[in-house]
């Protein structure tokens, strides 16, 4: 389906990644006519590369308490979210309640892990300190040399490729439209409010509400006054996908180490990531990054050396100056943002959709929405219109 039987959409969503598709699905379920414009294929960029950790506790930082609060709330809804999505789409979104082990390989890393433990306990997060012997009972493939482990029982994972495929299906089943290969060239304003979008190629689509969910490209949208743009930047992550020819079972938990993580899919496939690099829109894969990721993983799990490499790729996370996402209405009436999720887009998708749809429906803004207001980036004293 390419239109709503000739009717203009109530809402245009720019970007068909995990955020845009979740917003579109929830908006369609709320009775809005939604069209998603995705310049490539749905879930084909950042979401395609993402590992899919649902890890607010492992990723917690005292400098990012807003992100922690949002992450905990979104994680608490995930089980229900994927169950509803499976029902709506008829597809398995690949959710795995696997828990996480954070591991130290030497004395320095063990000291750092003790500090991490204290910080998380201070924030009243559920984390257990494990001796190496206990960690190896849980994961026998761990190297005998590990020094310390923390168990984070509530940090799980989902397969973002399955998730986005299920979401695209759910959007269409709910009456929404997902247009692949359709790039938005600019947002159209009339009388200082959103009037629609123009696609590359010239097609004009009228809509009074536009949601920008274009991930790391969200800061490049034409048609907006400069002061209404958001300072979103790409943060590169290189990542590997491997599988065990011997089948599942080598590792059951997400494993985290200094500088990386291993995420099991539960079927003998593993994701090994990821670098954090400020290199603009570069998505090349480098020998050094692949070497370091594999070296660290094999040191932690010697049996990893038997795995076969399926894919080496690089994705771009959408970063913001303060590390928190930009969700909700912006400076231009009718324009909503759902971007800047950095390392947490897959985790924050359900909550983001809830907040955006509530704003689209004109409900009164929550405190949560205030903490991620896109307008916090507006230069002081400049009228965005
Ligand atoms: N969420 C992990 C990452 O962005 O690498």
């Amino acid at each position: 389906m390419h239109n709503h039987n000739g009717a203009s959409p109530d809402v245009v969503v720019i970007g068909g990644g995990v955020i845009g598709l979740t917003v579109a699905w929830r908006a369609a379920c709320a009775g809005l006519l939604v069209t998603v414009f995705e310049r490539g294929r749905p879930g084909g960029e950042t979401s395609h590369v993402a590992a899919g950790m649902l890890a607010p506790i492992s990723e917690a930082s005292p400098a990012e308490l807003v992100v922690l609060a949002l992450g905990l709330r979104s994680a608490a809804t995930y089980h229900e979210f994927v169950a509803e999505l499976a029902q709506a789409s008829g597809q398995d979104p690949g959710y795995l309640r696997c828990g996480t082990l954070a591991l130290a390989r030497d004395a320095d890393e063990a000291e750092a892990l003790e500090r991490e433990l204290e910080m998380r306990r201070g924030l009243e997060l559920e984390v257990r300190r494990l001796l190496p012997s206990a960690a190896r009972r849980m994961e026998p493939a761990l190297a005998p040399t590990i020094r310390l482990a923390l168990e984070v029982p509530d940090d799980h994972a989902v397969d973002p490729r399955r998730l986005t495929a299920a979401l695209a299906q759910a959007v269409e089943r709910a009456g929404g439209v997902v247009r692949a290969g359709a790039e938005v060239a600019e947002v159209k304003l009339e009388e200082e409010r959103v009037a629609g979008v123009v696609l590359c190629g010239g097609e004009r689509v009228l809509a009074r509400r536009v949601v920008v969910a274009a991930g790391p490209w969200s800061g490049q949208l034409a048609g907006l006054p400069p002061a209404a743009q958001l300072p979103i930047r790409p943060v590169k992550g290189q990542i590997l996908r491997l599988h065990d020819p011997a089948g599942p079972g080598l590792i059951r938990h997400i494993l985290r180490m200094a500088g990386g993580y291993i995420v099991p899919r539960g079927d003998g496939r593993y994701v090994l990531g990821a670098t954090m690099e400020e290199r603009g829109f570069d998505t090349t894969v480098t020998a050094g990054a692949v070497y370091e990721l594999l070296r660290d993983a094999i040191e932690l799990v010697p049996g990893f050396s038997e795995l076969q490499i399926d894919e080496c790729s690089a994705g771009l996370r959408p970063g913001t100056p303060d590390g928190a996402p930009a969700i909700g209405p912006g400076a231009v009436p009718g324009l909503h943002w759902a971007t800047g999720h950095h390392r947490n887009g897959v985790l924050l998708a359900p909550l983001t959709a809830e907040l955006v749809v509530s704003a689209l429906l004109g409900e009164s803004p929550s405190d949560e929405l205030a903490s991620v207001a896109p307008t916090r980036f507006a230069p002081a004293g400049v009228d965005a219109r």
Side-chain angles (χ1 to χ4, degrees), residues 52-347:
M53 269 184 298
L54 307 171
I57 297 176
S58 308
E59 297 261 329
S61 152
E64 292 184 350
L65 294 179
V66 168
V67 177
L68 173 62
L70 297 173
L72 290 172
R73 181 137 113 69
S74 208
T77 67
Y78 230 90
H79 189 73
E80 209 178 309
F81 169 67
V82 289
E84 218 180 306
L85 178 59
Q87 177 81 27
S89 65
Q91 297 185 21
D92 174 5
Y95 179 58
L96 193 65
R97 289 179 75 85
C98 53
T100 295
L101 295 180
L103 298 150
R105 291 163 296 179
D106 57 32
D108 287 348
E109 287 187 8
E111 232 175 80
L113 216 51
E114 297 280 16
R115 287 195 297 273
E116 297 270 310
L117 173 66
E118 284 320 302
M119 181 268 283
R120 283 171 180 73
R121 280 187 175 155
L123 293 168
E124 296 181 10
L125 302 172
E126 173 77 12
V127 183
R128 296 177 199 139
R129 187 180 188 282
L130 296 182
L131 293 175
S133 52
R136 293 191 69 232
R137 274 197 297 280
M138 291 171 76
E139 288 290 3
L142 286 172
T145 48
I146 62 156
R147 297 289 288 260
L148 183 65
L150 304 184
E151 184 191 5
V152 188
D154 295 330
D155 277 359
H156 305 302
V158 68
D159 181 341
R161 294 181 181 181
R162 288 190 173 186
L163 180 68
T164 48
L167 283 165
Q169 179 72 24
V171 172
E172 302 220 317
R173 284 191 176 182
V177 172
V178 180
R179 286 185 55 182
E183 184 169 3
V184 171
E186 67 174 303
V187 176
K188 270 289 176 210
L189 305 187
E190 268 170 24
E191 295 176 359
E192 301 185 347
R193 67 153 293 133
V194 163
V197 294
V198 179
L199 304 188
C200 294
E203 183 185 345
R204 189 173 168 158
V205 180
L206 300 176
R208 301 270 297 165
R209 286 162 282 183
V210 169
V211 179
V212 184
W217 296 275
S218 301
Q220 299 188 325
L221 211 52
L224 299 177
Q229 295 278 5
L230 293 197
I232 306 290
R233 68 178 200 287
V235 181
K236 177 179 177 181
Q238 300 192 50
I239 197 160
L240 282 82
R241 285 176 158 79
L242 309 95
H243 77 272
D244 189 342
L250 179 69
I251 296 163
R252 292 186 172 80
H253 297 77
I254 296 168
L255 303 184
R256 297 181 67 104
M257 60 267 192
Y261 48 77
I262 299 170
V263 181
R265 289 277 178 253
D267 58 1
R269 292 178 301 137
Y270 298 90
V271 181
L272 167 61
T275 61
M276 289 276 285
E277 302 171 68
E278 301 279 350
R279 291 189 187 274
F281 286 92
D282 165 45
T283 51
T284 51
V285 176
T286 63
V290 171
Y291 164 74
E292 283 176 21
L293 289 168
L294 285 171
R295 179 198 62 200
D296 289 356
I298 291 169
E299 200 177 308
L300 197 64
V301 182
F304 225 69
S305 60
E306 301 298 324
L307 268 50
Q308 293 175 9
I309 298 177
D310 297 324
E311 198 179 313
C312 302
S313 52
L316 302 170
R317 308 172 181 90
T320 62
D322 61 9
I327 304 171
V332 174
L335 191 69
H336 298 249
W337 298 87
T339 189
H341 295 78
H342 198 217
R343 293 175 62 92
N344 296 295
V346 178
L347 167 66

Side-chain angles (χ1 to χ4, degrees), residues 351-365:
L351 178 60
T352 301
E354 187 185 315
L355 296 174
V356 170
V357 172
S358 143
L360 288 171
L361 295 174
E363 292 165 2
S364 46

